[in-house]
Tab-separated table of all heavy atoms in Angstrom:
chain	number	residue	atom	x	y	z
W	255	ARG	N	-19.257	-1.560	20.334
W	255	ARG	CA	-18.783	-2.880	20.116
W	255	ARG	C	-19.715	-3.919	20.683
W	255	ARG	O	-20.008	-4.905	20.047
W	255	ARG	CB	-17.394	-3.030	20.759
W	255	ARG	CG	-16.281	-2.318	20.028
W	255	ARG	CD	-14.985	-2.337	20.775
W	255	ARG	NE	-13.922	-1.511	20.172
W	255	ARG	CZ	-12.755	-1.313	20.742
W	255	ARG	NH1	-12.484	-1.785	21.917
W	255	ARG	NH2	-11.875	-0.587	20.080
W	256	GLU	N	-20.202	-3.680	21.840
W	256	GLU	CA	-21.178	-4.617	22.464
W	256	GLU	C	-22.430	-4.768	21.608
W	256	GLU	O	-22.922	-5.871	21.402
W	256	GLU	CB	-21.581	-4.073	23.849
W	256	GLU	CG	-20.439	-4.295	24.890
W	256	GLU	CD	-20.826	-3.756	26.262
W	256	GLU	OE1	-21.987	-3.153	26.335
W	256	GLU	OE2	-20.014	-3.840	27.190
W	257	GLU	N	-22.923	-3.641	21.078
W	257	GLU	CA	-24.102	-3.632	20.217
W	257	GLU	C	-23.825	-4.452	18.930
W	257	GLU	O	-24.642	-5.240	18.443
W	257	GLU	CB	-24.510	-2.209	19.888
W	257	GLU	CG	-25.188	-1.526	21.057
W	257	GLU	CD	-25.525	-0.085	20.738
W	257	GLU	OE1	-25.168	0.323	19.608
W	257	GLU	OE2	-26.091	0.589	21.597
W	258	ALA	N	-22.596	-4.252	18.401
W	258	ALA	CA	-22.226	-4.957	17.175
W	258	ALA	C	-22.180	-6.458	17.487
W	258	ALA	O	-22.612	-7.238	16.667
W	258	ALA	CB	-20.901	-4.419	16.625
W	259	ASP	N	-21.547	-6.840	18.628
W	259	ASP	CA	-21.498	-8.270	18.951
W	259	ASP	C	-22.855	-8.844	19.185
W	259	ASP	O	-23.157	-10.005	18.742
W	259	ASP	CB	-20.664	-8.364	20.258
W	259	ASP	CG	-19.221	-8.018	20.038
W	259	ASP	OD1	-18.713	-8.187	18.871
W	259	ASP	OD2	-18.577	-7.623	20.986
W	260	ARG	N	-23.735	-8.083	19.824
W	260	ARG	CA	-25.149	-8.549	20.035
W	260	ARG	C	-25.844	-8.788	18.661
W	260	ARG	O	-26.534	-9.790	18.475
W	260	ARG	CB	-25.870	-7.644	20.874
W	260	ARG	CG	-25.494	-7.649	22.309
W	260	ARG	CD	-26.215	-6.569	23.096
W	260	ARG	NE	-25.738	-6.404	24.460
W	260	ARG	CZ	-26.100	-5.477	25.298
W	260	ARG	NH1	-26.922	-4.476	24.887
W	260	ARG	NH2	-25.609	-5.441	26.518
W	261	ALA	N	-25.667	-7.801	17.807
W	261	ALA	CA	-26.288	-7.942	16.485
W	261	ALA	C	-25.769	-9.198	15.717
W	261	ALA	O	-26.592	-9.917	15.089
W	261	ALA	CB	-26.025	-6.680	15.650
W	262	LYS	N	-24.431	-9.447	15.856
W	262	LYS	CA	-23.928	-10.625	15.197
W	262	LYS	C	-24.487	-11.912	15.764
W	262	LYS	O	-24.849	-12.859	15.045
W	262	LYS	CB	-22.343	-10.621	15.381
W	262	LYS	CG	-21.631	-9.678	14.442
W	262	LYS	CD	-20.195	-9.817	14.672
W	262	LYS	CE	-19.438	-8.822	13.731
W	262	LYS	NZ	-17.955	-8.823	13.996
W	263	GLU	N	-24.609	-11.964	17.116
W	263	GLU	CA	-25.159	-13.134	17.737
W	263	GLU	C	-26.619	-13.345	17.334
W	263	GLU	O	-27.063	-14.460	17.100
W	263	GLU	CB	-25.107	-12.945	19.270
W	263	GLU	CG	-23.621	-13.103	19.845
W	263	GLU	CD	-23.520	-12.835	21.269
W	263	GLU	OE1	-24.578	-12.511	21.949
W	263	GLU	OE2	-22.410	-12.932	21.810
W	264	GLN	N	-27.337	-12.233	17.251
W	264	GLN	CA	-28.729	-12.375	16.806
W	264	GLN	C	-28.886	-12.881	15.395
W	264	GLN	O	-29.690	-13.744	15.035
W	264	GLN	CB	-29.389	-11.008	16.892
W	264	GLN	CG	-29.774	-10.594	18.352
W	264	GLN	CD	-30.467	-9.234	18.399
W	264	GLN	OE1	-30.564	-8.487	17.374
W	264	GLN	NE2	-30.798	-8.776	19.560
W	265	ARG	N	-28.022	-12.373	14.526
W	265	ARG	CA	-27.976	-12.908	13.148
W	265	ARG	C	-27.675	-14.393	13.121
W	265	ARG	O	-28.295	-15.180	12.381
W	265	ARG	CB	-26.936	-12.121	12.346
W	265	ARG	CG	-27.328	-10.695	12.024
W	265	ARG	CD	-26.162	-9.974	11.443
W	265	ARG	NE	-26.448	-8.585	11.298
W	265	ARG	CZ	-25.556	-7.659	11.116
W	265	ARG	NH1	-24.245	-7.957	10.943
W	265	ARG	NH2	-25.795	-6.345	10.999
W	266	LYS	N	-26.670	-14.800	13.886
W	266	LYS	CA	-26.347	-16.242	13.919
W	266	LYS	C	-27.508	-17.066	14.405
W	266	LYS	O	-27.803	-18.115	13.892
W	266	LYS	CB	-25.132	-16.421	14.806
W	266	LYS	CG	-23.865	-15.966	14.186
W	266	LYS	CD	-22.713	-16.183	15.159
W	266	LYS	CE	-21.356	-15.672	14.532
W	266	LYS	NZ	-20.232	-15.880	15.434
W	267	ALA	N	-28.185	-16.549	15.461
W	267	ALA	CA	-29.314	-17.261	16.051
W	267	ALA	C	-30.445	-17.404	14.988
W	267	ALA	O	-31.076	-18.451	14.855
W	267	ALA	CB	-29.811	-16.560	17.304
W	268	ASP	N	-30.634	-16.295	14.270
W	268	ASP	CA	-31.721	-16.319	13.207
W	268	ASP	C	-31.366	-17.245	12.118
W	268	ASP	O	-32.236	-18.031	11.630
W	268	ASP	CB	-31.857	-14.922	12.599
W	268	ASP	CG	-32.389	-13.899	13.611
W	268	ASP	OD1	-33.082	-14.307	14.575
W	268	ASP	OD2	-32.098	-12.715	13.489
W	269	LYS	N	-30.143	-17.335	11.755
W	269	LYS	CA	-29.691	-18.294	10.725
W	269	LYS	C	-29.931	-19.738	11.185
W	269	LYS	O	-30.390	-20.656	10.470
W	269	LYS	CB	-28.209	-18.086	10.409
W	269	LYS	CG	-27.984	-16.868	9.521
W	269	LYS	CD	-26.512	-16.654	9.220
W	269	LYS	CE	-26.252	-15.417	8.442
W	269	LYS	NZ	-24.804	-15.233	8.152
W	270	ARG	N	-29.556	-20.011	12.475
W	270	ARG	CA	-29.736	-21.336	13.011
W	270	ARG	C	-31.217	-21.671	13.025
W	270	ARG	O	-31.617	-22.821	12.657
W	270	ARG	CB	-29.254	-21.444	14.444
W	270	ARG	CG	-27.677	-21.421	14.525
W	270	ARG	CD	-27.264	-21.249	15.986
W	270	ARG	NE	-25.890	-21.030	16.066
W	270	ARG	CZ	-25.200	-20.651	17.174
W	270	ARG	NH1	-25.947	-20.415	18.260
W	270	ARG	NH2	-23.942	-20.437	17.188
W	271	LYS	N	-32.075	-20.748	13.415
W	271	LYS	CA	-33.508	-20.992	13.451
W	271	LYS	C	-33.996	-21.301	12.018
W	271	LYS	O	-34.807	-22.249	11.827
W	271	LYS	CB	-34.245	-19.746	13.975
W	271	LYS	CG	-34.128	-19.639	15.493
W	271	LYS	CD	-34.865	-18.416	15.949
W	271	LYS	CE	-34.681	-18.223	17.506
W	271	LYS	NZ	-35.360	-17.006	17.997
W	272	LEU	N	-33.559	-20.530	11.040
W	272	LEU	CA	-33.920	-20.787	9.682
W	272	LEU	C	-33.535	-22.219	9.214
W	272	LEU	O	-34.319	-22.906	8.558
W	272	LEU	CB	-33.331	-19.766	8.718
W	272	LEU	CG	-33.872	-18.313	8.770
W	272	LEU	CD1	-32.989	-17.412	8.101
W	272	LEU	CD2	-35.273	-18.289	8.248
W	273	LYS	N	-32.301	-22.603	9.563
W	273	LYS	CA	-31.877	-23.955	9.207
W	273	LYS	C	-32.717	-25.049	9.849
W	273	LYS	O	-33.146	-26.024	9.235
W	273	LYS	CB	-30.419	-24.161	9.633
W	273	LYS	CG	-29.455	-23.419	8.721
W	273	LYS	CD	-28.018	-23.626	9.193
W	273	LYS	CE	-27.035	-22.912	8.292
W	273	LYS	NZ	-25.655	-23.087	8.748
W	274	GLU	N	-33.023	-24.835	11.148
W	274	GLU	CA	-33.867	-25.752	11.833
W	274	GLU	C	-35.276	-25.858	11.231
W	274	GLU	O	-35.812	-26.929	11.013
W	274	GLU	CB	-33.979	-25.441	13.296
W	274	GLU	CG	-32.665	-25.611	14.060
W	274	GLU	CD	-32.725	-25.111	15.534
W	274	GLU	OE1	-33.822	-24.573	15.826
W	274	GLU	OE2	-31.771	-25.260	16.241
W	275	GLU	N	-35.821	-24.671	10.878
W	275	GLU	CA	-37.133	-24.753	10.253
W	275	GLU	C	-37.108	-25.396	8.879
W	275	GLU	O	-38.039	-26.166	8.588
W	275	GLU	CB	-37.604	-23.226	10.107
W	275	GLU	CG	-38.008	-22.611	11.403
W	275	GLU	CD	-38.356	-21.166	11.229
W	275	GLU	OE1	-38.253	-20.636	10.083
W	275	GLU	OE2	-38.739	-20.522	12.226
W	276	LYS	N	-36.024	-25.161	8.087
W	276	LYS	CA	-35.887	-25.880	6.855
W	276	LYS	C	-35.866	-27.356	7.017
W	276	LYS	O	-36.507	-28.189	6.329
W	276	LYS	CB	-34.671	-25.411	6.068
W	276	LYS	CG	-34.827	-24.023	5.532
W	276	LYS	CD	-33.526	-23.621	4.862
W	276	LYS	CE	-33.574	-22.206	4.263
W	276	LYS	NZ	-32.348	-21.781	3.619
W	277	GLU	N	-35.103	-27.807	8.025
W	277	GLU	CA	-35.020	-29.274	8.260
W	277	GLU	C	-36.380	-29.828	8.724
W	277	GLU	O	-36.762	-30.919	8.281
W	277	GLU	CB	-33.956	-29.545	9.405
W	277	GLU	CG	-32.533	-29.318	8.927
W	277	GLU	CD	-31.583	-29.428	10.036
W	277	GLU	OE1	-31.982	-29.654	11.120
W	277	GLU	OE2	-30.307	-29.347	9.765
W	278	LYS	N	-37.077	-29.064	9.555
W	278	LYS	CA	-38.421	-29.498	9.979
W	278	LYS	C	-39.356	-29.663	8.756
W	278	LYS	O	-40.138	-30.541	8.614
W	278	LYS	CB	-38.936	-28.562	11.004
W	278	LYS	CG	-38.312	-28.683	12.412
W	278	LYS	CD	-38.912	-27.683	13.327
W	278	LYS	CE	-38.261	-27.789	14.720
W	278	LYS	NZ	-38.799	-26.789	15.675
W	279	GLU	N	-39.236	-28.613	7.906
W	279	GLU	CA	-40.143	-28.655	6.703
W	279	GLU	C	-39.753	-29.904	5.819
W	279	GLU	O	-40.670	-30.509	5.312
W	279	GLU	CB	-39.926	-27.367	5.878
W	279	GLU	CG	-40.539	-26.135	6.560
W	279	GLU	CD	-40.240	-24.861	5.758
W	279	GLU	OE1	-39.624	-24.991	4.711
W	279	GLU	OE2	-40.753	-23.855	6.204
W	280	LYS	N	-38.498	-30.164	5.713
W	280	LYS	CA	-38.104	-31.350	4.865
W	280	LYS	C	-38.729	-32.644	5.522
W	280	LYS	O	-39.236	-33.515	4.822
W	280	LYS	CB	-36.596	-31.403	4.761
W	280	LYS	CG	-36.027	-30.407	3.832
W	280	LYS	CD	-34.521	-30.567	3.786
W	280	LYS	CE	-33.920	-29.545	2.890
W	280	LYS	NZ	-32.398	-29.598	2.851
W	281	GLU	N	-38.548	-32.722	6.805
W	281	GLU	CA	-39.038	-33.942	7.566
W	281	GLU	C	-40.592	-34.018	7.343
W	281	GLU	O	-41.148	-35.105	7.123
W	281	GLU	CB	-38.684	-33.840	9.007
W	281	GLU	CG	-37.188	-34.076	9.264
W	281	GLU	CD	-36.863	-33.858	10.727
W	281	GLU	OE1	-37.820	-33.525	11.531
W	281	GLU	OE2	-35.707	-34.030	11.064
W	282	GLU	N	-41.258	-32.880	7.505
W	282	GLU	CA	-42.672	-32.888	7.366
W	282	GLU	C	-43.114	-33.272	5.908
W	282	GLU	O	-44.050	-34.024	5.718
W	282	GLU	CB	-43.248	-31.556	7.687
W	282	GLU	CG	-43.227	-31.231	9.186
W	282	GLU	CD	-43.669	-29.808	9.510
W	282	GLU	OE1	-43.984	-29.069	8.549
W	282	GLU	OE2	-43.731	-29.464	10.700
W	283	SER	N	-42.297	-32.769	4.897
W	283	SER	CA	-42.656	-33.137	3.542
W	283	SER	C	-42.475	-34.593	3.291
W	283	SER	O	-43.242	-35.248	2.616
W	283	SER	CB	-41.794	-32.316	2.582
W	283	SER	OG	-40.384	-32.628	2.825
W	284	MET	N	-41.381	-35.190	3.906
W	284	MET	CA	-41.171	-36.645	3.792
W	284	MET	C	-42.318	-37.432	4.423
W	284	MET	O	-42.812	-38.403	3.905
W	284	MET	CB	-39.831	-37.016	4.449
W	284	MET	CG	-38.676	-36.451	3.721
W	284	MET	SD	-38.337	-37.200	2.147
W	284	MET	CE	-37.714	-38.852	2.633
W	285	ASP	N	-42.761	-36.937	5.627
W	285	ASP	CA	-43.873	-37.569	6.268
W	285	ASP	C	-45.159	-37.502	5.437
W	285	ASP	O	-45.963	-38.389	5.403
W	285	ASP	CB	-44.112	-36.963	7.659
W	285	ASP	CG	-42.934	-37.213	8.572
W	285	ASP	OD1	-42.256	-38.245	8.437
W	285	ASP	OD2	-42.676	-36.405	9.483
W	286	GLU	N	-45.366	-36.402	4.821
W	286	GLU	CA	-46.492	-36.198	3.988
W	286	GLU	C	-46.511	-37.134	2.775
W	286	GLU	O	-47.492	-37.691	2.421
W	286	GLU	CB	-46.597	-34.773	3.503
W	286	GLU	CG	-47.004	-33.717	4.544
W	286	GLU	CD	-46.969	-32.332	4.076
W	286	GLU	OE1	-46.598	-32.129	2.864
W	286	GLU	OE2	-47.311	-31.469	4.872
W	287	GLU	N	-45.338	-37.349	2.183
W	287	GLU	CA	-45.200	-38.281	1.042
W	287	GLU	C	-45.539	-39.680	1.447
W	287	GLU	O	-46.137	-40.470	0.793
W	287	GLU	CB	-43.829	-38.182	0.416
W	287	GLU	CG	-43.598	-36.900	-0.355
W	287	GLU	CD	-42.129	-36.783	-0.845
W	287	GLU	OE1	-41.394	-37.717	-0.579
W	287	GLU	OE2	-41.856	-35.801	-1.504
W	288	GLU	N	-44.995	-40.065	2.683
W	288	GLU	CA	-45.284	-41.406	3.169
W	288	GLU	C	-46.772	-41.651	3.455
W	288	GLU	O	-47.314	-42.703	3.210
W	288	GLU	CB	-44.430	-41.690	4.380
W	288	GLU	CG	-42.898	-41.792	4.089
W	288	GLU	CD	-42.127	-41.983	5.362
W	288	GLU	OE1	-42.647	-41.916	6.469
W	288	GLU	OE2	-40.828	-42.150	5.211
W	289	ASN	N	-47.324	-40.637	4.093
W	289	ASN	CA	-48.737	-40.761	4.497
W	289	ASN	C	-49.672	-40.035	3.499
W	289	ASN	O	-50.617	-39.362	3.869
W	289	ASN	CB	-48.903	-40.076	5.886
W	289	ASN	CG	-48.024	-40.819	6.878
W	289	ASN	OD1	-47.924	-42.009	6.875
W	289	ASN	ND2	-47.453	-40.028	7.850
W	290	SER	N	-49.375	-40.209	2.195
W	290	SER	CA	-50.228	-39.549	1.114
W	290	SER	C	-51.511	-40.224	1.000
W	290	SER	O	-52.453	-39.709	0.401
W	290	SER	CB	-49.414	-39.650	-0.146
W	290	SER	OG	-49.150	-40.941	-0.589
W	291	ASP	N	-51.666	-41.489	1.534
W	291	ASP	CA	-52.910	-42.210	1.367
W	291	ASP	C	-53.922	-41.854	2.457
W	291	ASP	O	-55.016	-42.471	2.528
W	291	ASP	CB	-52.637	-43.718	1.476
W	291	ASP	CG	-51.786	-44.217	0.345
W	291	ASP	OD1	-51.827	-43.555	-0.761
W	291	ASP	OD2	-50.997	-45.225	0.489
W	292	ASP	N	-53.614	-40.931	3.320
W	292	ASP	CA	-54.510	-40.519	4.369
W	292	ASP	C	-55.637	-39.725	3.835
W	292	ASP	O	-55.729	-39.387	2.615
W	292	ASP	CB	-53.724	-39.735	5.462
W	292	ASP	CG	-52.726	-40.579	6.165
W	292	ASP	OD1	-52.847	-41.833	6.121
W	292	ASP	OD2	-51.777	-39.970	6.746
W	293	SER	N	-56.515	-39.320	4.668
W	293	SER	CA	-57.753	-38.689	4.254
W	293	SER	C	-57.447	-37.284	3.789
W	293	SER	O	-56.382	-36.714	4.041
W	293	SER	CB	-58.725	-38.632	5.416
W	293	SER	OG	-58.169	-37.927	6.460
W	294	ASP	N	-58.442	-36.669	3.056
W	294	ASP	CA	-58.261	-35.317	2.588
W	294	ASP	C	-58.235	-34.264	3.723
W	294	ASP	O	-57.604	-33.223	3.601
W	294	ASP	CB	-59.408	-34.963	1.638
W	294	ASP	CG	-59.353	-35.826	0.401
W	294	ASP	OD1	-58.262	-36.311	0.029
W	294	ASP	OD2	-60.458	-36.082	-0.181
Side-chain angles (χ1 to χ4, degrees):
R255 287 174 186 172
E256 287 177 359
E257 288 175 358
D259 294 333
R260 286 174 187 172
K262 283 181 181 178
E263 288 176 358
Q264 285 179 358
R265 287 170 191 166
K266 287 179 181 178
D268 293 333
K269 286 179 182 178
R270 287 172 190 167
K271 286 179 182 178
L272 288 169
K273 285 180 181 178
E274 288 175 358
E275 287 175 358
K276 285 179 182 178
E277 288 176 357
K278 286 179 181 178
E279 285 177 1
K280 286 180 182 178
E281 289 176 358
E282 287 176 358
S283 63
M284 292 292 286
D285 293 334
E286 285 176 0
E287 288 176 359
E288 289 176 358
N289 301 322
S290 61
D291 297 331
D292 294 340
S293 63
D294 296 331

